[in-house]
């Protein structure tokens, strides 16, 4: 994994999503009947989420005091920790049929950073071309055209569709890949990119 890849990992977003999932499951567990199979199933899920949370802390957050902040956030609902920094969300990711290069546009607000094959190429002003929800968005740089691609799995998108239709619970188990692909935010809110992915 390159330095750029590590910097682009949504560590903060994933920890936040896992904490929100944990709080949601804990509330369901509190309401479940004692000794019921539902309560036991929720206990297993709580343990699984806790283990994933701790594994990410151990692997990606070297500062022990910051790890403790995250544990207090998980267990006691303390204020959201100060780090690690949030990622710049993926606004567009696409590939060129001609060169095979991958373009990635990241950012928030008016400025987007353009990465080609992992190298920062330039900064551009967001002209709102990527806020649309219709599929088949393209990006052109120096006469090379990139058509949009999505890395989120079919299973994750199906779970998201099921949640949006009210037929499935929130897709917390897929939060990491949906966050990394710019499909959702930490509150499971849909991005414009999500609408485009779901339309394909």
């Amino acid at each position: 994994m390159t330095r750029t890849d590590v910097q682009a990992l949504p560590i903060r977003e994933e920890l936040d999503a896992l904490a929100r999932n944990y709080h949601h499951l804990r509330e369901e567990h509190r309401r479940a009947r004692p000794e019921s199979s539902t309560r036991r199933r929720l206990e297993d899920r709580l343990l699984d989420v806790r283990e994933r949370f701790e594994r990410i802390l151990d692997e990606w957050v070297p500062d022990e005091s910051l790890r403790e902040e995250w544990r207090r956030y998980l267990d006691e609902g303390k204020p959201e920790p100060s780090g690690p920094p949030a990622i710049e969300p993926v606004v567009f990711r696409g590939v060129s049929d001609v060169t095979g290069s991958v373009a990635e546009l990241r950012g928030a607000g008016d400025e987007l950073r353009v990465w080609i094959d992992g190298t920062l190429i330039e900064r551009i002003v967001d002209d709102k071309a990527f806020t649309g929800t219709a599929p088949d968005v393209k990006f052109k740089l120096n006469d090379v055209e990139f058509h949009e691609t999505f890395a989120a799995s079919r299973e994750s998108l199906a779970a998201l569709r099921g949640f949006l239709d009210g037929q499935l619970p929130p897709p917390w188990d897929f939060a990491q890949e949906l966050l990394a692909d710019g499909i959702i935010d930490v509150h499971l809110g849909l991005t414009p990119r999500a609408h485009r992915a779901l339309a394909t």
Side-chain angles (χ1 to χ4, degrees):
M1 182 174 289
T2 68
R3 185 172 173 217
T4 302
D5 293 334
V6 171
Q7 289 173 339
L9 288 172
I11 305 304
R12 180 187 190 85
E13 289 79 357
E14 185 174 358
L15 287 168
D16 198 9
L18 286 169
R20 290 171 190 278
N21 187 14
Y22 189 85
H23 297 156
H24 172 76
L25 290 170
R26 192 169 58 190
E27 188 58 28
E28 283 189 26
H29 180 265
R30 187 186 62 75
R31 291 193 306 259
R33 268 194 2 253
E35 307 302 322
S36 68
S37 61
T38 299
R39 192 178 181 100
R40 286 191 298 275
R41 181 177 52 81
L42 289 168
E43 286 168 359
D44 290 342
R45 289 184 64 198
L46 277 165
L47 183 59
D48 180 55
V49 170
R50 181 67 187 233
E51 286 174 352
R52 285 167 58 193
F53 185 88
E54 287 292 340
R55 189 167 53 247
I56 291 167
L57 279 182
D58 289 343
E59 290 177 6
W60 298 106
V61 182
D63 183 341
E64 181 56 38
S65 63
L66 189 55
R67 287 199 296 259
E68 280 306 311
E69 280 185 55
W70 278 103
R71 289 183 184 111
R72 286 193 298 273
Y73 180 60
L74 182 75
D75 293 328
E76 304 165 24
K78 296 294 183 185
E80 189 172 325
S82 56
I87 63 164
E88 291 181 310
V90 174
V91 175
F92 172 90
R93 183 181 291 126
V95 66
S96 165
D97 291 332
V98 176
T99 66
S101 292
V102 175
E104 193 170 270
L105 280 68
R106 291 180 171 271
D110 290 337
E111 185 180 85
L112 297 178
R113 298 190 330 158
V114 180
W115 300 80
I116 304 294
D117 295 332
T119 301
L120 178 62
I121 300 297
E122 67 177 322
R123 290 174 172 81
I124 61 172
V125 175
D126 181 10
D127 62 1
K128 307 305 176 196
F130 305 105
T131 59
T133 58
D136 299 325
V137 169
K138 294 177 175 56
F139 170 67
K140 194 169 186 176
L141 180 69
N142 300 331
D143 296 325
V144 178
E145 190 171 76
F146 299 85
H147 68 272
E148 191 164 35
T149 59
F150 302 94
S153 67
R154 289 181 182 176
E155 293 81 8
S156 68
L157 293 174
L160 182 58
R161 277 191 194 94
F163 168 62
L164 296 172
D165 293 342
Q167 298 172 0
L168 292 174
W172 293 114
D173 292 340
F174 296 102
Q176 177 182 3
E177 66 178 285
L178 292 170
L179 282 165
D181 202 24
I183 304 295
I184 61 168
D185 61 24
V186 293
H187 306 286
L188 292 181
L190 298 187
T191 65
R193 186 166 157 78
H195 293 282
R196 301 194 300 265
L198 292 170
T200 56

